[in-house]
Amino acid sequence: MSNPLNNRIRVLRAERKMSQTDLADAIGVSRKTISTIEVGRFVPSTVIALKIAREFDVAFEKVFSLAER
């Protein structure tokens, strides 16, 4: 099954000049976790997704959206 979520993490990080490591450290996960979420190989837990949105100070929907079927 393909990943049901699209995300804008890379774009949001770039806007803030933030590395994957910076984001990972801020939310308490590994850089590899951020990388695999960004490329769509891993669907984050609700808690991780909400922490990412909070770190960017945007609504969840500004970071993640459902992929078209």
Side-chain angles (χ1 to χ4, degrees):
M1 180 176 161
S2 63
N3 188 337
L5 284 180
N6 295 320
N7 73 75
R8 298 183 61 242
I9 297 171
R10 183 172 292 153
V11 171
L12 292 165
R13 280 192 312 97
E15 289 173 357
R16 290 157 178 80
K17 297 180 176 30
M18 179 181 265
S19 70
Q20 287 181 341
T21 301
D22 294 335
L23 178 58
D25 289 347
I27 67 167
V29 298
S30 71
R31 185 210 56 81
K32 183 171 177 122
T33 297
I34 298 300
S35 175
T36 57
I37 293 169
E38 275 189 8
V39 298
R41 288 191 320 215
F42 177 69
V43 177
S45 69
T46 303
V47 171
I48 291 173
L50 290 170
K51 284 182 176 182
I52 291 169
R54 183 175 60 192
E55 184 61 29
F56 291 133
D57 195 29
V58 298
F60 174 88
E61 295 84 4
K62 296 289 185 184
V63 183
F64 298 97
S65 61
L66 286 176
E68 296 297 320
R69 290 183 177 206

